[in-house]
Amino acid sequence: MTAKSTQVQVSLGDRSYPISIGSDEIFNADIGRYISGKKVLIVTNETIAPLYLERLEQQLTDKQVSRVILADGEQYKNLDTLNLIFDQLIGDHHDRKTTLIALGGGVVGDMTGFAAASYQRGVAFIQIPTTLLAQVDSSVGGKTAVNHPMGKNMIGAFYQPQAVIIDTDTLSTLPDREFYAGLAEVIKYGLIVDADFFQWLENNVDLLLQRDKRALAYAIELSCVSKARIVAEDETEQGIRAILNLGHTFGHAIETFQQYKQWIHGEAVAAGMVMAAELSVISGDLSEADLHRIKDLLARCSLPITPPADMQPDDFTGLMIRDKKVLDGQLRLVLLKRLGEATVTGQFSIDHLNQVLIKACISK
Ligand code: NAD
Ligand code: GLY
């Protein structure tokens, strides 16, 4: 672990790009080198603008910079808000050489990426993620989207940024609840591809919870290394990339059940990862001892390990069948072969799934 900046490469041929991770990286990354034209549009929101917009603009004094400051919240991740970005781009005469910069969490990043993918059929964009979740997951890999009233992330594109600049200092202002939710996604990488990292997380969770900068930079780097490797192998999710959705089928059922109004994404994913792990145990793969380690680590991060009290097994089954991984009517889930190895499979017993749902719903 070092305090200086670290680079991770996302290798996608002529769409490859660096992820630059470090303290005060907004200043240190020399962002201008990723911008080929004169014009820049910074997209951020009303919470993040007062915290970090000025710092970013100070790095772009040789560019013509416009900004659009969006309302804060998942409920604004829609076509109406996207149109505000296009209004600004067209109103300020941005052309095909322009670069968009997303300064914010996953909501700002997903919308800015989709705006960049579609404005004049595609312009450059840079991700500057400011939540832990966005730093370890949403800013990397090129999934961009807005929501539709009938479904989350229904309208979007795979579109890769020029660079991802991760300034770990921005995490100092992140509310605890958002920070813990990001840790769920960090733990996910240990579970799906890196058992050593899981063990490192067990040993260093107290440092992470104190937001120790070196520990955080290391956890973010290892998470990005795993994500970059999976994305390089399967950019458009034809197969292996789906393992990044461990716990998400259960988690999305929770979020949908609550109409996105109670638990935040990482919390729902945490409870969902435990349910996926329970099914992995009952299917004869994961050991009971490892299941306990998973629950223990998530609980130490103040994350839920059982579903919401008012959810019943039928609520899950009714909602899980709408998952994007359902193919030809068959539910597929991400399960653990062991700690550090995941698989996407439709080969599990429905009886076992029902047992897991019943156990989870009565153990709350
Ligand atoms: P978010 O963008 O809503 O940010 C959470 C909250 O933290 C917001 O209120 C935000 O304004 C605030 N915030 C952000 N940075 C801050 C900072 N440094 N200090 C203080 N407050 C700060 O939520 P998120 O968890 O970052 O992202 C969730 C979104 O990401 C969802 O829309 C989800 O669909 C998407 N997502 C996308 C991918 C992908 O691969 N593209 C992956 C996972 C999630
Ligand atoms: N967050 C899941 C993915 O990027 O594929």
Side-chain angles (χ1 to χ4, degrees):
M1 278 187 282
T2 66
K4 66 176 172 50
S5 106
T6 307
Q7 304 276 311
V8 174
Q9 188 72 5
V10 184
S11 300
L12 289 167
D14 59 2
R15 284 166 294 104
S16 299
Y17 54 94
I19 306 167
S20 188
I21 305 160
S23 175
D24 203 10
E25 203 59 14
I26 289 177
F27 174 76
N28 289 324
D30 185 13
I31 295 167
R33 69 187 145 136
Y34 303 115
I35 301 171
S36 55
K38 291 194 185 74
K39 286 192 171 224
V40 170
L41 175 72
I42 301 172
V43 183
T44 187
N45 76 21
E46 58 201 2
T47 305
I48 300 149
L51 297 170
Y52 303 111
L53 181 57
E54 191 182 342
R55 183 73 174 148
L56 176 57
E57 287 183 338
Q58 283 167 355
Q59 316 314 316
L60 301 167
T61 47
D62 57 337
K63 303 290 176 193
Q64 295 167 31
V65 180
S66 348
R67 64 207 60 79
V68 58
I69 299 174
L70 307 174
D72 184 1
E74 181 76 29
Q75 69 271 34
Y76 299 105
K77 188 179 157 182
N78 57 30
L79 287 170
D80 288 341
T81 309
L82 191 71
N83 229 357
L84 298 177
I85 304 177
F86 295 136
D87 288 349
Q88 194 78 38
L89 284 165
I90 297 166
D92 287 346
H93 308 289
H94 285 264
D95 61 22
R96 281 191 166 156
K97 288 273 279 178
T98 206
T99 296
L100 273 61
I101 301 182
L103 176 69
V107 169
V108 166
D110 279 14
M111 279 198 290
T112 309
F114 188 46
S118 46
Y119 184 64
Q120 298 198 4
R121 302 197 180 89
V123 296
F125 89 112
I126 294 169
Q127 289 270 19
I128 306 187
T130 60
T131 63
L132 183 57
L133 181 139
Q135 294 182 352
V136 299
D137 192 356
S138 64
S139 66
V140 176
K143 278 191 181 175
T144 74
V146 294
N147 301 331
H148 185 275
M150 284 188 281
K152 195 169 150 67
N153 293 329
M154 280 295 163
I155 306 161
F158 285 99
Y159 194 68
Q160 303 294 343
Q162 307 301 304
V164 179
I165 312 292
I166 298 178
D167 186 333
T168 53
D169 293 359
T170 59
L171 297 179
S172 64
T173 53
L174 193 65
D176 281 341
R177 193 173 172 200
E178 297 292 345
F179 183 75
Y180 302 147
L183 285 176
E185 300 284 3
V186 172
I187 292 167
K188 175 187 79 180
Y189 293 108
L191 296 180
I192 59 175
V193 285
D194 192 344
D196 290 344
F197 181 45
F198 185 88
Q199 192 171 357
W200 182 90
L201 290 168
E202 289 179 312
N203 295 337
N204 291 278
V205 64
D206 292 334
L207 277 179
L208 290 172
L209 291 169
Q210 291 158 22
R211 305 197 195 192
D212 176 272
K213 279 190 186 165
R214 287 185 177 201
L216 267 176
Y218 182 74
I220 293 166
E221 179 190 345
L222 276 253
S223 301
C224 288
V225 165
S226 290
K227 177 129 192 198
R229 192 159 54 76
I230 294 165
V231 167
E233 209 175 312
D234 179 21
E235 183 182 9
T236 56
E237 200 166 305
Q238 304 303 307
I240 188 75
R241 184 167 176 164
I243 66 170
L244 291 165
N245 291 324
L246 175 70
H248 285 55
T249 305
F250 298 98
H252 283 155
I254 294 171
E255 290 180 276
T256 311
F257 180 79
Q258 299 180 330
Q259 299 182 324
Y260 299 92
K261 287 184 181 144
Q262 294 175 45
W263 288 14
I264 55 177
H265 181 68
E267 294 169 340
V269 166
M273 290 195 299
V274 173
M275 294 167 85
E278 295 267 12
L279 184 53
S280 307
V281 171
I282 207 169
S283 303
D285 290 326
L286 189 71
S287 72
E288 279 280 355
D290 284 341
L291 172 64
H292 286 296
R293 288 173 68 192
I294 295 167
K295 286 183 181 174
D296 185 53
L297 183 57
L298 292 168
R300 285 169 75 192
C301 297
S302 302
L303 288 160
I305 55 172
T306 54
D310 54 345
M311 275 190 89
Q312 302 304 323
D314 285 354
D315 298 322
F316 277 97
T317 42
L319 291 167
M320 285 166 70
I321 200 69
R322 294 194 211 161
D323 188 79
K324 287 201 204 81
K325 284 185 293 304
V326 170
L327 284 184
D328 292 333
Q330 190 194 22
L331 179 61
R332 295 182 314 136
L333 291 171
V334 184
L335 297 180
L336 296 174
K337 301 300 286 178
R338 58 184 70 79
L339 204 67
E341 187 184 340
T343 178
V344 187
T345 178
Q347 304 298 309
F348 54 85
S349 140
I350 293 294
D351 277 352
H352 287 163
L353 174 60
N354 287 333
Q355 283 175 43
V356 166
L357 292 174
I358 291 164
K359 183 178 167 200
C361 290
I362 57 166
S363 68
K364 301 168 298 210

